[in-house]
Amino acid sequence: MNKIGIIIAREFNERVRKKSFIITTILMPVLMIGMMAAPTLMMLFAKGETKELLVIDQSSLIAPNLEGDGELVFIPSTESLEQARANQDVFGVLWIGEDIVDNPSNVKLYTNSSSSMSLEENISSQMERIIEHERLQRYDIENLEQIMKDVKVNVTLTNFRNDLAEEGKDEEATSSVIAYLLGLVLGMMLYMFLIIYGSMVMTSVIEEKGSRVLDVLVSSVSPFQLMMGKILGVAAVAVTQIAIWGVLVCGLGSALLPALMPQDVMQSVEAVQAGAMTSAQAGIDADMLSAISFATDTGRLVMMFVWLLLFLVGGFLFYSAMFAAVGSAVDSIQDANQLQTPITVPIILALILAMSVFNDPNSPLAFWGSIIPLTSPVVMMARIPFDIPTWQILLSLVLLYLSVAGMAWVAGKIYRVGIFMHGKKPSFKELLSWVKQ
């Protein structure tokens, strides 16, 4: 164990001390927040120049009701279509047919430069509103438009879970939208960590094998000790990164977010968390309230990161053992591509199965995908935000870690033979024979 500890420390220190690790770990949460805020900032600050649009309205119904804004100005025109199209000083011409109310397709837009989807959507939505108003007027019913507005209603659905109440948890569950987004993020995170850090183990083994360093190392440690030291060392790097992210997220959620939110909103969130009112009674959008409630609930955040660490470690040990075995059996990255296909396919399949979770987190496909060790790390992390029964999570963990022990034994058999093999890429049949030796 002392020898394994030395190898773990060497692998851990080599990667943690790199500037790339420090930058990624510290800046990744900031970059994620920036990426989420980027579309909004772009829409606020990336406004185009003002566009003047001549409107030839043969129906005389649409043009007087079109409303311009800072980017688009409507100019009614009595010119002929040919004369208006010859005008290069404006952005374009909007021609509206006489029967536009009965034939909404009888409208054409001529532009002197490329148009945009937002501009066309602006024109279409305004015309739809005007045409609907004109059609309502034909019924000659007093205040019909107001009646139609009064008839429209938005239903706010509050979800209560009987099974959670029986377990002593809060009755009001996390909204499906928040569970979907959280499950998507966690599932993608597991997928990326398994691929990136697993490949890191394989690459390290190939490089050391190519430089004949392994031939020297195995004179002091057994091949199995060397393999496990490498795997556990890289696993410690992944755990460190997740733990730092967890501290940052929990700290921002419990300290910074309440200070930034309006006091009345936070009071409503606290009342919902205490069970004094529902999200509908609070008068706040249910999804927004649920998101704030989850982000400020330190206990739930910590528990979520605990599950994430457990499945990350289990999934990483399971797959990195296979990656290490493949790395020991080949002499170059190119030779490893074919052998690592059976490893990457289940990880990709796990991501595909995770997508089915969002339609029904309790379907047989989602359940078995979260239980079978080949796919359980990714699929289960996508299911956990939906407040599934705890016994399913524990069963998945037990099966996963039992499979880790079996896979480490198989990988160790391949590793102890593969590190001494040079000049030939083994077949799958030869790998199986190494396991039987």
Side-chain angles (χ1 to χ4, degrees), residues 229-294:
K230 281 187 168 295
I231 293 174
L232 293 176
V234 178
V237 176
V239 169
T240 301
Q241 198 165 45
I242 290 293
I244 293 174
W245 288 352
V247 171
L248 290 175
V249 171
C250 292
L252 291 174
S254 60
L256 185 60
L257 189 60
L260 297 176
M261 296 301 298
Q263 186 175 1
D264 57 336
V265 174
M266 289 308 304
Q267 289 176 348
S268 299
V269 171
E270 293 172 358
V272 172
Q273 290 177 335
M277 67 171 63
T278 65
S279 57
Q281 294 171 338
I284 304 175
D285 181 73
D287 294 329
M288 180 182 294
L289 192 144
S290 181
I292 298 172
S293 177
F294 180 80

Short mmCIF file of all heavy atoms in Angstrom, two decimals, residues 229-294:
data_model
loop_
_atom_site.label_atom_id
_atom_site.label_comp_id
_atom_site.label_asym_id
_atom_site.label_seq_id
_atom_site.Cartn_x
_atom_site.Cartn_y
_atom_site.Cartn_z
N GLY A 229 -2.32 2.47 -8.76
CA GLY A 229 -1.78 3.76 -8.35
C GLY A 229 -2.10 4.84 -9.37
O GLY A 229 -2.47 5.97 -9.01
N LYS A 230 -1.93 4.49 -10.65
CA LYS A 230 -2.25 5.46 -11.70
C LYS A 230 -3.74 5.81 -11.70
O LYS A 230 -4.11 6.98 -11.78
CB LYS A 230 -1.86 4.89 -13.07
CG LYS A 230 -0.39 4.99 -13.38
CD LYS A 230 -0.13 4.56 -14.81
CE LYS A 230 1.29 4.92 -15.21
NZ LYS A 230 1.48 6.38 -15.23
N ILE A 231 -4.58 4.79 -11.61
CA ILE A 231 -6.03 5.01 -11.65
C ILE A 231 -6.48 5.86 -10.47
O ILE A 231 -7.22 6.84 -10.62
CB ILE A 231 -6.77 3.66 -11.68
CG1 ILE A 231 -6.50 2.94 -13.01
CG2 ILE A 231 -8.27 3.87 -11.48
CD1 ILE A 231 -7.07 1.54 -13.07
N LEU A 232 -6.04 5.49 -9.27
CA LEU A 232 -6.45 6.22 -8.07
C LEU A 232 -5.88 7.63 -8.05
O LEU A 232 -6.52 8.56 -7.54
CB LEU A 232 -6.03 5.45 -6.82
CG LEU A 232 -6.74 4.09 -6.61
CD1 LEU A 232 -6.16 3.39 -5.40
CD2 LEU A 232 -8.24 4.29 -6.45
N GLY A 233 -4.69 7.82 -8.60
CA GLY A 233 -4.10 9.15 -8.65
C GLY A 233 -4.90 10.09 -9.53
O GLY A 233 -5.18 11.23 -9.15
N VAL A 234 -5.28 9.62 -10.71
CA VAL A 234 -6.09 10.45 -11.60
C VAL A 234 -7.49 10.65 -11.02
O VAL A 234 -8.09 11.71 -11.15
CB VAL A 234 -6.16 9.82 -13.01
CG1 VAL A 234 -7.04 10.66 -13.93
CG2 VAL A 234 -4.77 9.69 -13.60
N ALA A 235 -8.01 9.59 -10.35
CA ALA A 235 -9.32 9.71 -9.71
C ALA A 235 -9.30 10.80 -8.64
O ALA A 235 -10.27 11.56 -8.49
CB ALA A 235 -9.75 8.39 -9.09
N ALA A 236 -8.19 10.89 -7.90
CA ALA A 236 -8.07 11.93 -6.88
C ALA A 236 -8.10 13.32 -7.50
O ALA A 236 -8.63 14.27 -6.91
CB ALA A 236 -6.77 11.73 -6.09
N VAL A 237 -7.55 13.46 -8.71
CA VAL A 237 -7.58 14.75 -9.41
C VAL A 237 -9.02 15.12 -9.74
O VAL A 237 -9.46 16.26 -9.52
CB VAL A 237 -6.74 14.69 -10.70
CG1 VAL A 237 -6.85 16.01 -11.46
CG2 VAL A 237 -5.29 14.40 -10.36
N ALA A 238 -9.79 14.15 -10.26
CA ALA A 238 -11.19 14.42 -10.62
C ALA A 238 -12.01 14.76 -9.38
O ALA A 238 -12.84 15.68 -9.40
CB ALA A 238 -11.78 13.20 -11.33
N VAL A 239 -11.79 14.01 -8.29
CA VAL A 239 -12.52 14.27 -7.05
C VAL A 239 -12.18 15.66 -6.51
O VAL A 239 -13.07 16.40 -6.04
CB VAL A 239 -12.19 13.20 -6.00
CG1 VAL A 239 -12.73 13.59 -4.62
CG2 VAL A 239 -12.77 11.86 -6.42
N THR A 240 -10.92 16.05 -6.59
CA THR A 240 -10.51 17.38 -6.13
C THR A 240 -11.22 18.47 -6.92
O THR A 240 -11.71 19.46 -6.35
CB THR A 240 -8.99 17.54 -6.26
OG1 THR A 240 -8.33 16.54 -5.49
CG2 THR A 240 -8.56 18.92 -5.79
N GLN A 241 -11.30 18.29 -8.22
CA GLN A 241 -11.94 19.29 -9.07
C GLN A 241 -13.43 19.41 -8.74
O GLN A 241 -13.96 20.51 -8.60
CB GLN A 241 -11.75 18.93 -10.53
CG GLN A 241 -11.98 20.08 -11.49
CD GLN A 241 -11.42 19.78 -12.86
OE1 GLN A 241 -11.61 18.69 -13.41
NE2 GLN A 241 -10.73 20.75 -13.44
N ILE A 242 -14.11 18.27 -8.59
CA ILE A 242 -15.54 18.28 -8.27
C ILE A 242 -15.76 18.89 -6.88
O ILE A 242 -16.72 19.65 -6.66
CB ILE A 242 -16.12 16.86 -8.32
CG1 ILE A 242 -16.16 16.36 -9.77
CG2 ILE A 242 -17.52 16.81 -7.72
CD1 ILE A 242 -17.14 17.11 -10.64
N ALA A 243 -14.89 18.56 -5.92
CA ALA A 243 -15.04 19.08 -4.57
C ALA A 243 -14.89 20.60 -4.55
O ALA A 243 -15.64 21.30 -3.86
CB ALA A 243 -14.00 18.44 -3.64
N ILE A 244 -13.94 21.13 -5.31
CA ILE A 244 -13.76 22.59 -5.37
C ILE A 244 -14.99 23.23 -5.98
O ILE A 244 -15.49 24.25 -5.49
CB ILE A 244 -12.50 22.94 -6.17
CG1 ILE A 244 -11.24 22.47 -5.42
CG2 ILE A 244 -12.42 24.44 -6.43
CD1 ILE A 244 -9.96 22.65 -6.19
N TRP A 245 -15.51 22.64 -7.06
CA TRP A 245 -16.73 23.17 -7.68
C TRP A 245 -17.90 23.12 -6.70
O TRP A 245 -18.71 24.03 -6.63
CB TRP A 245 -17.06 22.39 -8.94
CG TRP A 245 -16.13 22.66 -10.08
CD1 TRP A 245 -15.16 23.62 -10.12
CD2 TRP A 245 -16.07 21.98 -11.33
NE1 TRP A 245 -14.48 23.57 -11.32
CE2 TRP A 245 -15.02 22.59 -12.09
CE3 TRP A 245 -16.78 20.94 -11.90
CZ2 TRP A 245 -14.70 22.16 -13.38
CZ3 TRP A 245 -16.47 20.51 -13.19
CH2 TRP A 245 -15.44 21.11 -13.90
N GLY A 246 -17.97 22.02 -5.93
CA GLY A 246 -19.05 21.90 -4.96
C GLY A 246 -19.00 22.99 -3.90
O GLY A 246 -20.03 23.56 -3.53
N VAL A 247 -17.79 23.27 -3.40
CA VAL A 247 -17.64 24.33 -2.40
C VAL A 247 -18.03 25.68 -2.98
O VAL A 247 -18.72 26.48 -2.33
CB VAL A 247 -16.18 24.36 -1.87
CG1 VAL A 247 -15.96 25.58 -0.99
CG2 VAL A 247 -15.88 23.09 -1.10
N LEU A 248 -17.61 25.94 -4.22
CA LEU A 248 -17.94 27.22 -4.85
C LEU A 248 -19.45 27.35 -5.06
O LEU A 248 -20.03 28.40 -4.77
CB LEU A 248 -17.22 27.34 -6.20
CG LEU A 248 -15.70 27.53 -6.15
CD1 LEU A 248 -15.11 27.51 -7.56
CD2 LEU A 248 -15.34 28.83 -5.46
N VAL A 249 -20.09 26.30 -5.56
CA VAL A 249 -21.53 26.36 -5.83
C VAL A 249 -22.32 26.51 -4.53
O VAL A 249 -23.24 27.33 -4.43
CB VAL A 249 -21.98 25.10 -6.61
CG1 VAL A 249 -23.50 25.04 -6.69
CG2 VAL A 249 -21.39 25.11 -8.00
N CYS A 250 -21.96 25.70 -3.52
CA CYS A 250 -22.68 25.78 -2.24
C CYS A 250 -22.46 27.13 -1.57
O CYS A 250 -23.39 27.70 -0.99
CB CYS A 250 -22.21 24.65 -1.31
SG CYS A 250 -22.69 23.00 -1.86
N GLY A 251 -21.24 27.66 -1.68
CA GLY A 251 -20.96 28.96 -1.08
C GLY A 251 -21.72 30.08 -1.76
O GLY A 251 -22.30 30.95 -1.10
N LEU A 252 -21.74 30.05 -3.10
CA LEU A 252 -22.48 31.08 -3.83
C LEU A 252 -23.98 30.97 -3.57
O LEU A 252 -24.68 31.98 -3.42
CB LEU A 252 -22.20 30.95 -5.34
CG LEU A 252 -20.80 31.32 -5.81
CD1 LEU A 252 -20.63 31.00 -7.28
CD2 LEU A 252 -20.52 32.80 -5.57
N GLY A 253 -24.47 29.72 -3.49
CA GLY A 253 -25.90 29.53 -3.29
C GLY A 253 -26.37 29.96 -1.91
O GLY A 253 -27.43 30.58 -1.77
N SER A 254 -25.58 29.68 -0.88
CA SER A 254 -26.01 29.97 0.48
C SER A 254 -25.68 31.38 0.93
O SER A 254 -26.35 31.93 1.80
CB SER A 254 -25.35 28.97 1.44
OG SER A 254 -23.93 29.08 1.38
N ALA A 255 -24.66 32.01 0.35
CA ALA A 255 -24.22 33.33 0.82
C ALA A 255 -24.53 34.45 -0.18
O ALA A 255 -25.11 35.47 0.17
CB ALA A 255 -22.72 33.30 1.11
N LEU A 256 -24.15 34.24 -1.43
CA LEU A 256 -24.26 35.32 -2.40
C LEU A 256 -25.67 35.50 -2.94
O LEU A 256 -26.17 36.62 -3.06
CB LEU A 256 -23.28 35.07 -3.55
CG LEU A 256 -23.17 36.18 -4.61
CD1 LEU A 256 -22.72 37.48 -3.97
CD2 LEU A 256 -22.20 35.75 -5.72
N LEU A 257 -26.33 34.39 -3.30
CA LEU A 257 -27.65 34.49 -3.92
C LEU A 257 -28.69 35.16 -3.03
O LEU A 257 -29.43 36.04 -3.51
CB LEU A 257 -28.12 33.09 -4.35
CG LEU A 257 -29.39 33.04 -5.21
CD1 LEU A 257 -29.17 33.82 -6.51
CD2 LEU A 257 -29.75 31.60 -5.54
N PRO A 258 -28.80 34.81 -1.74
CA PRO A 258 -29.79 35.51 -0.90
C PRO A 258 -29.54 37.01 -0.80
O PRO A 258 -30.48 37.80 -0.66
CB PRO A 258 -29.61 34.84 0.48
CG PRO A 258 -29.06 33.50 0.17
CD PRO A 258 -28.16 33.71 -1.01
N ALA A 259 -28.28 37.43 -0.89
CA ALA A 259 -27.97 38.86 -0.80
C ALA A 259 -28.35 39.59 -2.08
O ALA A 259 -28.66 40.78 -2.05
CB ALA A 259 -26.48 39.05 -0.52
N LEU A 260 -28.35 38.89 -3.21
CA LEU A 260 -28.67 39.52 -4.48
C LEU A 260 -30.17 39.54 -4.76
O LEU A 260 -30.64 40.42 -5.49
CB LEU A 260 -27.94 38.80 -5.63
CG LEU A 260 -26.41 38.83 -5.61
CD1 LEU A 260 -25.84 38.00 -6.74
CD2 LEU A 260 -25.92 40.27 -5.71
N MET A 261 -30.91 38.58 -4.21
CA MET A 261 -32.33 38.49 -4.51
C MET A 261 -33.12 39.50 -3.68
O MET A 261 -32.73 39.84 -2.55
CB MET A 261 -32.84 37.08 -4.20
CG MET A 261 -32.22 35.99 -5.07
SD MET A 261 -32.52 36.25 -6.84
CE MET A 261 -34.29 36.15 -6.87
N PRO A 262 -34.26 40.01 -4.22
CA PRO A 262 -35.11 40.91 -3.43
C PRO A 262 -35.60 40.23 -2.15
O PRO A 262 -35.81 39.02 -2.12
CB PRO A 262 -36.28 41.20 -4.37
CG PRO A 262 -35.73 40.96 -5.74
CD PRO A 262 -34.73 39.86 -5.59
N GLN A 263 -35.79 41.02 -1.10
CA GLN A 263 -36.14 40.47 0.20
C GLN A 263 -37.49 39.75 0.17
O GLN A 263 -37.64 38.69 0.78
CB GLN A 263 -36.19 41.59 1.25
CG GLN A 263 -36.39 41.08 2.67
CD GLN A 263 -36.31 42.19 3.69
OE1 GLN A 263 -36.11 43.34 3.34
NE2 GLN A 263 -36.46 41.85 4.97
N ASP A 264 -38.48 40.30 -0.56
CA ASP A 264 -39.79 39.66 -0.60
C ASP A 264 -39.73 38.31 -1.30
O ASP A 264 -40.44 37.36 -0.92
CB ASP A 264 -40.81 40.57 -1.30
CG ASP A 264 -40.36 40.95 -2.71
OD1 ASP A 264 -39.14 40.91 -2.96
OD2 ASP A 264 -41.23 41.26 -3.54
N VAL A 265 -38.86 38.19 -2.32
CA VAL A 265 -38.70 36.90 -3.01
C VAL A 265 -38.10 35.87 -2.08
O VAL A 265 -38.56 34.72 -2.02
CB VAL A 265 -37.84 37.07 -4.28
CG1 VAL A 265 -37.56 35.72 -4.93
CG2 VAL A 265 -38.53 37.99 -5.27
N MET A 266 -37.06 36.27 -1.34
CA MET A 266 -36.43 35.34 -0.41
C MET A 266 -37.38 34.93 0.70
O MET A 266 -37.36 33.78 1.16
CB MET A 266 -35.16 35.96 0.18
CG MET A 266 -34.02 36.10 -0.81
SD MET A 266 -33.61 34.56 -1.69
CE MET A 266 -33.30 33.45 -0.31
N GLN A 267 -38.23 35.84 1.15
CA GLN A 267 -39.22 35.48 2.17
C GLN A 267 -40.20 34.45 1.64
O GLN A 267 -40.59 33.52 2.36
CB GLN A 267 -39.95 36.74 2.63
CG GLN A 267 -39.10 37.69 3.47
CD GLN A 267 -39.83 38.97 3.82
OE1 GLN A 267 -40.90 39.28 3.29
NE2 GLN A 267 -39.24 39.75 4.72
N SER A 268 -40.59 34.60 0.38
CA SER A 268 -41.49 33.63 -0.23
C SER A 268 -40.81 32.26 -0.36
O SER A 268 -41.43 31.22 -0.11
CB SER A 268 -41.95 34.11 -1.60
OG SER A 268 -42.66 35.33 -1.50
N VAL A 269 -39.53 32.28 -0.75
CA VAL A 269 -38.78 31.03 -0.88
C VAL A 269 -38.69 30.32 0.47
O VAL A 269 -38.90 29.11 0.59
CB VAL A 269 -37.38 31.30 -1.44
CG1 VAL A 269 -36.51 30.04 -1.36
CG2 VAL A 269 -37.47 31.78 -2.88
N GLU A 270 -38.37 31.08 1.53
CA GLU A 270 -38.26 30.49 2.86
C GLU A 270 -39.61 29.95 3.33
O GLU A 270 -39.67 28.91 3.99
CB GLU A 270 -37.74 31.55 3.84
CG GLU A 270 -36.31 31.97 3.57
CD GLU A 270 -35.88 33.16 4.42
OE1 GLU A 270 -36.73 33.66 5.20
OE2 GLU A 270 -34.72 33.59 4.31
N ALA A 271 -40.70 30.64 2.97
CA ALA A 271 -42.02 30.17 3.37
C ALA A 271 -42.37 28.86 2.66
O ALA A 271 -42.95 27.95 3.26
CB ALA A 271 -43.07 31.24 3.05
N VAL A 272 -42.00 28.76 1.38
CA VAL A 272 -42.25 27.52 0.64
C VAL A 272 -41.41 26.38 1.19
O VAL A 272 -41.88 25.25 1.35
CB VAL A 272 -41.97 27.74 -0.86
CG1 VAL A 272 -42.04 26.41 -1.62
CG2 VAL A 272 -42.97 28.72 -1.45
N GLN A 273 -40.14 26.67 1.51
CA GLN A 273 -39.27 25.64 2.07
C GLN A 273 -39.78 25.15 3.42
O GLN A 273 -39.65 23.97 3.76
CB GLN A 273 -37.84 26.19 2.22
CG GLN A 273 -37.12 26.40 0.90
CD GLN A 273 -35.74 27.01 1.09
OE1 GLN A 273 -35.48 27.69 2.08
NE2 GLN A 273 -34.86 26.78 0.12
N ALA A 274 -40.38 26.06 4.19
CA ALA A 274 -40.91 25.69 5.50
C ALA A 274 -42.28 25.03 5.41
O ALA A 274 -42.81 24.57 6.42
CB ALA A 274 -40.99 26.93 6.39
N GLY A 275 -42.89 25.02 4.21
CA GLY A 275 -44.21 24.42 4.05
C GLY A 275 -45.36 25.33 4.41
O GLY A 275 -46.50 24.88 4.49
N ALA A 276 -45.07 26.63 4.64
CA ALA A 276 -46.13 27.56 5.03
C ALA A 276 -47.00 27.95 3.85
O ALA A 276 -48.13 28.39 4.03
CB ALA A 276 -45.52 28.81 5.66
N MET A 277 -46.48 27.85 2.63
CA MET A 277 -47.26 28.17 1.44
C MET A 277 -46.71 27.40 0.26
O MET A 277 -45.60 26.84 0.32
CB MET A 277 -47.24 29.67 1.16
CG MET A 277 -45.88 30.21 0.77
SD MET A 277 -45.91 31.94 0.17
CE MET A 277 -46.47 32.79 1.63
N THR A 278 -47.49 27.36 -0.81
CA THR A 278 -47.06 26.74 -2.05
C THR A 278 -46.53 27.81 -2.99
O THR A 278 -46.69 29.01 -2.74
CB THR A 278 -48.21 25.99 -2.72
OG1 THR A 278 -49.21 26.92 -3.12
CG2 THR A 278 -48.81 24.96 -1.78
N SER A 279 -45.92 27.37 -4.09
CA SER A 279 -45.40 28.33 -5.06
C SER A 279 -46.52 29.15 -5.69
O SER A 279 -46.34 30.32 -6.01
CB SER A 279 -44.61 27.59 -6.15
OG SER A 279 -45.43 26.61 -6.77
N ALA A 280 -47.70 28.54 -5.86
CA ALA A 280 -48.83 29.27 -6.43
C ALA A 280 -49.29 30.38 -5.48
O ALA A 280 -49.62 31.49 -5.90
CB ALA A 280 -49.98 28.32 -6.72
N GLN A 281 -49.33 30.07 -4.19
CA GLN A 281 -49.73 31.08 -3.20
C GLN A 281 -48.70 32.20 -3.09
O GLN A 281 -49.04 33.33 -2.74
CB GLN A 281 -49.94 30.41 -1.85
CG GLN A 281 -51.11 29.44 -1.82
CD GLN A 281 -51.16 28.63 -0.54
OE1 GLN A 281 -50.15 28.47 0.15
NE2 GLN A 281 -52.34 28.12 -0.20
N ALA A 282 -47.45 31.88 -3.36
CA ALA A 282 -46.40 32.89 -3.26
C ALA A 282 -46.49 33.93 -4.38
O ALA A 282 -45.92 35.01 -4.27
CB ALA A 282 -45.02 32.23 -3.28
N GLY A 283 -47.20 33.60 -5.45
CA GLY A 283 -47.36 34.54 -6.55
C GLY A 283 -46.11 34.70 -7.40
O GLY A 283 -45.93 35.71 -8.07
N ILE A 284 -45.22 33.70 -7.38
CA ILE A 284 -43.98 33.73 -8.15
C ILE A 284 -43.98 32.53 -9.09
O ILE A 284 -44.57 31.49 -8.79
CB ILE A 284 -42.75 33.68 -7.23
CG1 ILE A 284 -42.81 34.83 -6.21
CG2 ILE A 284 -41.46 33.76 -8.01
CD1 ILE A 284 -41.70 34.78 -5.19
N ASP A 285 -43.36 32.69 -10.25
CA ASP A 285 -43.26 31.58 -11.19
C ASP A 285 -42.72 30.35 -10.48
O ASP A 285 -41.69 30.41 -9.79
CB ASP A 285 -42.35 31.97 -12.35
CG ASP A 285 -42.23 30.85 -13.37
OD1 ASP A 285 -43.18 30.61 -14.11
OD2 ASP A 285 -41.16 30.20 -13.39
N ALA A 286 -43.42 29.23 -10.67
CA ALA A 286 -43.06 28.01 -9.93
C ALA A 286 -41.65 27.54 -10.24
O ALA A 286 -40.91 27.12 -9.34
CB ALA A 286 -44.07 26.91 -10.25
N ASP A 287 -41.26 27.59 -11.52
CA ASP A 287 -39.91 27.13 -11.89
C ASP A 287 -38.83 28.03 -11.31
O ASP A 287 -37.81 27.55 -10.82
CB ASP A 287 -39.79 27.09 -13.42
CG ASP A 287 -40.70 26.04 -14.03
OD1 ASP A 287 -40.94 25.02 -13.37
OD2 ASP A 287 -41.16 26.24 -15.16
N MET A 288 -39.06 29.35 -11.34
CA MET A 288 -38.09 30.27 -10.78
C MET A 288 -37.97 30.08 -9.27
O MET A 288 -36.86 30.05 -8.72
CB MET A 288 -38.47 31.72 -11.09
CG MET A 288 -37.49 32.75 -10.54
SD MET A 288 -37.99 34.45 -10.87
CE MET A 288 -37.86 34.47 -12.66
N LEU A 289 -39.11 29.95 -8.61
CA LEU A 289 -39.09 29.77 -7.16
C LEU A 289 -38.40 28.45 -6.80
O LEU A 289 -37.63 28.39 -5.83
CB LEU A 289 -40.51 29.79 -6.62
CG LEU A 289 -40.65 29.90 -5.09
CD1 LEU A 289 -41.86 30.75 -4.72
CD2 LEU A 289 -40.78 28.52 -4.46
N SER A 290 -38.67 27.41 -7.57
CA SER A 290 -38.04 26.12 -7.31
C SER A 290 -36.53 26.20 -7.51
O SER A 290 -35.76 25.61 -6.75
CB SER A 290 -38.64 25.06 -8.23
OG SER A 290 -38.07 23.80 -7.98
N ALA A 291 -36.09 26.94 -8.55
CA ALA A 291 -34.66 27.07 -8.80
C ALA A 291 -33.96 27.82 -7.67
O ALA A 291 -32.89 27.42 -7.21
CB ALA A 291 -34.43 27.79 -10.13
N ILE A 292 -34.58 28.91 -7.20
CA ILE A 292 -33.99 29.67 -6.11
C ILE A 292 -33.98 28.84 -4.84
O ILE A 292 -33.00 28.84 -4.07
CB ILE A 292 -34.77 30.98 -5.89
CG1 ILE A 292 -34.70 31.86 -7.13
CG2 ILE A 292 -34.23 31.74 -4.68
CD1 ILE A 292 -35.59 33.08 -7.06
N SER A 293 -35.07 28.12 -4.61
CA SER A 293 -35.16 27.28 -3.41
C SER A 293 -34.07 26.22 -3.40
O SER A 293 -33.43 25.97 -2.37
CB SER A 293 -36.54 26.62 -3.34
OG SER A 293 -36.62 25.76 -2.24
N PHE A 294 -33.83 25.60 -4.55
CA PHE A 294 -32.80 24.56 -4.62
C PHE A 294 -31.41 25.16 -4.47
O PHE A 294 -30.55 24.60 -3.78
CB PHE A 294 -32.91 23.82 -5.96
CG PHE A 294 -31.89 22.73 -6.13
CD1 PHE A 294 -32.06 21.50 -5.55
CD2 PHE A 294 -30.73 22.96 -6.87
CE1 PHE A 294 -31.11 20.50 -5.70
CE2 PHE A 294 -29.78 21.98 -7.02
CZ PHE A 294 -29.97 20.74 -6.43
#
